[in-house]
Amino acid sequence: MAHHPVEIKPGMHLETATFEGKNKVMGFWMFLGAETVLFACLFGTYLALRNQTVNGPSGAELFDPVLVAVATAILLFSSLTSVFAMMAMNKLDKKGMLFWLGVTVLLGLSFLILEIYEFVHYIHEGHTFMSSAFGSSFYALVGTHGAHVTFGIIWISTIMYQAWKWGINTETAPKLFVSSLYWHFIDVVWVFIFTLVYLLGMVG
């Protein structure tokens, strides 16, 4: 791994300590802008088609408020543990950072397990991707978010290995930082899904 001649001290922003790091962070913000457009399109499609159930089950009949609330709490708490990981990174606390990143990954996996259970239940109730426009738009939106969570788990796990092997430095810090940004973005998208899909669906 290339080494940058930067004196590393606790408390410094290692993710932007080098020109390369600044470029990575800036480029990632641009990527998140494109992701925002993607999800905006999916949300718009869902809101336009949410009532097109073709005599199938509606959101009010399907959605389980307890399950959705638990999944939401898990994902939001994982955002907090990601913050703790970045705080540990800035303190050059490698052990603490890896611990909190590990908790973040486990919470992400727990969320995915609940989402898979939810989808299986919906399919048994006749709510499939092909059952109606509501079904297609629902699975396109929520499924895309689930795919992003899956990618985030794999990405963070990979960077955890790199940090464990090479430590916290100007090479690994930008990767850790942008993966944390990505995870926060996923959580923000879920807040919109929770509000516009589940809460709106439950009230009919």
Side-chain angles (χ1 to χ4, degrees), residues 17-133:
T18 64
F19 183 70
E20 180 183 357
K22 291 177 181 178
N23 283 341
K24 287 179 179 178
V25 174
M26 178 62 69
F28 195 75
W29 276 113
M30 296 174 65
F31 167 75
L32 288 185
E35 288 282 277
T36 301
V37 173
L38 168 64
F39 276 104
C41 292
L42 292 173
F43 274 112
T45 301
Y46 173 80
L47 291 175
L49 301 175
R50 57 183 289 266
N51 294 319
Q52 307 301 316
T53 59
V54 194
N55 297 321
S58 65
E61 297 170 313
L62 289 168
F63 300 152
D64 181 350
V66 175
L67 179 67
V68 176
V70 171
T72 300
I74 288 174
L75 201 58
L76 292 181
F77 187 66
S78 75
S79 196
L80 180 61
T81 59
S82 178
V83 170
F84 291 158
M86 292 304 98
M87 292 172 62
M89 181 189 77
N90 288 326
K91 295 177 183 177
L92 303 181
D93 179 6
K94 175 180 167 182
K95 184 178 179 180
M97 181 194 71
L98 291 176
F99 170 78
W100 287 116
L101 285 177
V103 174
T104 301
V105 167
L106 289 176
L107 290 171
L109 286 171
S110 299
F111 172 84
L112 279 181
I113 291 171
L114 287 179
E115 188 164 86
I116 292 170
Y117 170 81
E118 176 190 25
F119 283 2
V120 170
H121 171 71
Y122 292 163
I123 291 170
H124 286 161
E125 294 294 320
H127 179 55
T128 67
F129 188 85
M130 300 297 292
S131 62
S132 64

Side-chain angles (χ1 to χ4, degrees), residues 184-200:
H184 293 317
F185 172 77
I186 290 172
D187 289 352
V188 170
V189 171
W190 180 257
V191 170
F192 281 97
I193 291 176
F194 175 72
T195 304
L196 297 178
V197 176
Y198 292 101
L199 289 184
L200 194 60

